[in-house]
Amino acid sequence: MVRRVRVGWGAVGVGWIGLALFGAGASLQGQEGVSDSLQVAIKLHLERLTRRLGDSVGLVPVDSAEDRSRMTVSPEDSVLQTLLSLKGYDLIRYQGESARFETESRMLTISGSDGQNAVVNRQGFELSADSALVMDEKTGRLVTVGNEAAYSPDTGDEVLTRRLIFDLNQNRGTAVDVRTQMNSGMGDWIVQGDFPWVSEDVSYGHEVMFTSCEEEDPHYHFLAREIKVSPGGTLIARNVLIYFSDVGVFWLPFIAQSTAQGRRSGLLPIRFSVNDIVRTSGNYSRRVSNLGYYWAMSDYSDVQLGMDWWSGNYAAVTGGFRYRWLRQFLEGQANFRQFWRSEGGSELAFDTNHDWELSERTRVRISARYASSAAFVRRNSFDPREVTQSIDSEGGLNRRFDWGNLSVSANRRQFLSEDRVETTLPTANLSLSTLTLFPALPTRSRFYNNMTLSASGRLSRSLRDLPEQDLSEAEFSFQSTDSEAIRGGISGSLSAGAFSISQSVELNRNITRDLPANFFDPAEAPPAAGIGSVGDLAQSVLFQQAGANTDFQAEELTWSTTIDYQQPIVGSTTLTPRLSISGRSIRSDTTSVAGGRFVAAPRRLSLGVQLNSDIYGFYRGDRIRHKFSPTFDYAYSPETQPTQIQEATFGSRAIQPINEIRIGLTQTLEGRVGDEEEDSASVQVPDASPGEPRRLPRSEKVMFLALRTSAVTYDFEQASELGHFNRGFADNLRISNQVSSDYLRGLSVSLEHDIFDDSGITGDGGIRKFDPQLSNVNLSFSLNNRSSLFRWLGGRSDEEEEPPASQEEEASEDLTDPSGFDAVGLEAATVVPGFGEERNRGQQGAQRSGEDNVGEWNASLSYSLARTRGAMDANQMLQATLAFQPTEKWSVNWRTSYNVEAGVFNDHIISFQRDLHRWEADFSFRQTATGNWTFMFEVALTDNRDLHFDYEQRTAGENR
């Protein structure tokens, strides 16, 4: 049995305190057998409590204007402290203007006034009323009287009500016209209505209105005829109407929402559109997804499993597992999607990534994606990027030692557009820390002191998997076969000041798979295209391959040793003489004369010199500077004396003398922007002491334009041997130029020209025609309203201007896709889980909308061109994105790609978002290069994204 002790405080009449506690004492005496001596002690104590400070006889009248804080119970009162420490008793405190206790009916009435509410506090909760509180000890009911009452629990939000009846024995209440605020873990909700049953375990409501709009006249609200709320559990409402202003727009049979905060297990919200229930067309295929369960396994991990059904297409199961253990620096996730096609068969796609920092020096990372069928992805994906890009996977281990660094990694790329898979497994790099030999102070060092030694090694294995060729329809292509390439090498260098010695050794092995039988037999080989590459590699005759061996293997071993010395001349101009010796050995299935062994080429001795220089030109005084940086690299190698096998294997051009020069060029146009530097005599420096240096105003240095041109090599000996000066240039000569600017951080231009027409060359003879042709163009350009170009042109004031050199962050933002089109759920847009990494749409809308963002815009344009000389067709693609906010509530995003050669648009994404104050409307259209398109209209509640209304029309192009 729980016993109660009541204590009053505040400006409450003496009589009701004595009656209340005396009555409580009498009741305790009759029920629990409290001694008479205890009653006497309580009476005496209460009499002392009624006296004013300094009144020992109790004759001084009470001053009603006295500060009520002085009427509090003294903490040094031993009797009261004894009562409060009794076990099994609850403490109830009352406060009011006056009180009346009826001993016969056991009714306690606490009255309030205009400036003082009647208050009762019990076990952490507080109940107040503007008129009075009436407590019936017999029934244990506490009733509020007046126009407004307030209930404040120890945890949670305050509840305002017109009338409340509370049963202390059953610990439940009834509230009329309730107004409160509730946090459901998704946002704050304003609740109004009648609650006939309110308890700690469950509450029932009737005609309850709730909304997240904080306006006095809410823009929208839900009206539930019946509602059930479990604190920290679930809110269930049925017969729910949704109103915008005072107009009812939609009816829901029920709403179920968890009221617990944080992660919790539960059913996933089902995703479907309105036309998935009521079809607008007989050809429309219904789709229902996200039917499943979410399990919060622990604070560090969770699992979810859902189903997806698309009528006439497939059924699928999607699962995911996530974990995050920060204490162990370990986090990751794994997602899979299993499809069962309606016509039979199944497909699998998965995505996983993991990151683990084992220690400060060791880190493991894995990121893998896979799709069993590229055709299935192209047919069912509604994300334009997924059907044109590759599915990439990578993983690796990095380990840092005291003596060096080790990196081991692997990657895989699956190209969906052409069913090509490229894998590199493994890639290993080992670099040793630079070692200083014979260290000494600079003032005491000699030529052998402070030498540095460094070394590194690398190994990689690459695989290329292509679709099997159909020889019945086309000739066999050597370049369209599966292949394997192994690369390995070590290098090291020793430096002593300007003098250095370096050496490297590399081994390359190329294996071509699945060649037709008798491919190397000229009499029986099938028609082949691209065989010239094999002849160029081995420079030997073809021979018949015995047996059923259909693999072609070629190996090449190269080594070189180089000694150079860098000599400064004037300013930044340096001259570097160089002496090197190199060697080369090859082995392939076409070198029959070597019996399958390596054939070594004659060693080549090379003498050379490199000249690097910077030449400057100044304009407008010295405010604009043109920096001209050419490089000249000359090398000479005398003729060798090859054996018959070497000449048959490497050919005459591989062993002839070398007399070549290599020229490269970089140009930059730089300038200083800002205030002009004043004459030192006229500069006034505040608070500068006599004799102290005065600092002149500093201007900002920027790069207006930079042009980098690739190096060109010319061999005088080769031109003389082949009989024409233009034959001294390398075969298939291409020159590339790259353009960039500080004022256009989003600009990236790369141009490549094919210089000569080699169609007239046959063997070592023929005519080469000078005919420059643009072969490759890659241009990307992005701007926004904060770009340096507009500030430079005066688009912003000086106070808002930022120096161009600080625009690195702006550039990185400009180069990204500003559209943010990952709004549609992954189960609705993509096939491979995790491809788009869905982001919270509510946060996106909050970032895009707002008065401060009106007029903000981002635009980007990219163009690519690739063509070969003599080809009829070229590949030209134009891509554009645009994102802007015309008004405070509207935002627009657009992305498209246009095939210039075919004259058609490949794909589109366009989206309009409208902020509806606590709601967000999204109109979006997507079309992929494969013909899949979808139109969707969605209205979603920003405080609870699971509550949304969708209309979606979609068509899968390749399977419809």
Side-chain angles (χ1 to χ4, degrees), residues 2 4 6 90-94 108 120-123 125 127 134-143 151 164-174 198 200:
V2 178
R4 297 175 173 83
R6 302 178 178 87
D90 291 337
L91 177 63
I92 304 177
R93 293 179 176 177
Y94 305 97
L108 173 62
V120 59
N121 189 295
R122 175 178 181 267
Q123 293 182 344
F125 77 82
L127 180 63
V134 179
M135 177 178 177
D136 189 343
E137 270 201 356
K138 292 182 179 180
T139 62
R141 291 186 177 180
L142 184 62
V143 182
Y151 171 77
L164 186 145
I165 303 174
F166 198 85
D167 192 326
L168 296 176
N169 295 329
Q170 298 185 11
N171 201 22
R172 68 175 181 86
T174 298
V198 179
E200 294 181 354

Side-chain angles (χ1 to χ4, degrees), residues 228-247:
K228 175 183 177 181
V229 182
S230 299
T234 306
L235 179 150
I236 300 176
R238 63 182 182 182
N239 196 5
V240 182
L241 285 172
I242 301 178
Y243 286 83
F244 284 92
S245 187
D246 57 350
V247 179

Side-chain angles (χ1 to χ4, degrees), residues 682-698:
S682 62
V683 176
Q684 301 295 329
V685 181
D687 302 329
S689 302
E692 290 186 358
R694 290 174 291 183
R695 298 181 180 178
L696 299 177
R698 299 187 61 184

Side-chain angles (χ1 to χ4, degrees), residues 36-71:
D36 294 338
S37 60
L38 180 57
Q39 290 188 15
V40 174
I42 292 175
K43 289 181 180 180
L44 296 176
H45 175 68
L46 293 176
E47 291 177 357
R48 289 197 300 269
L49 290 177
T50 61
R51 302 170 186 166
R52 298 186 59 195
L53 185 64
D55 180 14
S56 60
V57 295
L59 299 178
V60 180
V62 177
D63 185 1
S64 60
E66 185 178 8
D67 187 3
R68 293 175 179 175
S69 63
R70 298 177 59 184
M71 301 297 294

Side-chain angles (χ1 to χ4, degrees), residues 180-184 187-192 208-224 227 235 241-245 917-919 941 943 947:
T180 187
Q181 191 170 359
M182 180 180 66
N183 189 299
S184 66
D188 293 330
W189 293 84
I190 300 171
V191 181
Q192 296 183 16
V208 178
M209 185 276 290
F210 53 97
T211 179
S212 60
C213 180
E214 66 280 358
E215 300 292 337
E216 182 176 354
D217 295 324
H219 294 83
Y220 87 96
H221 67 272
F222 296 87
L223 181 61
I227 190 171
L235 179 150
L241 285 172
I242 301 178
Y243 286 83
F244 284 92
S245 187
H917 186 69
R918 318 310 301 185
W919 290 79
L941 184 61
D943 298 288
L947 186 58

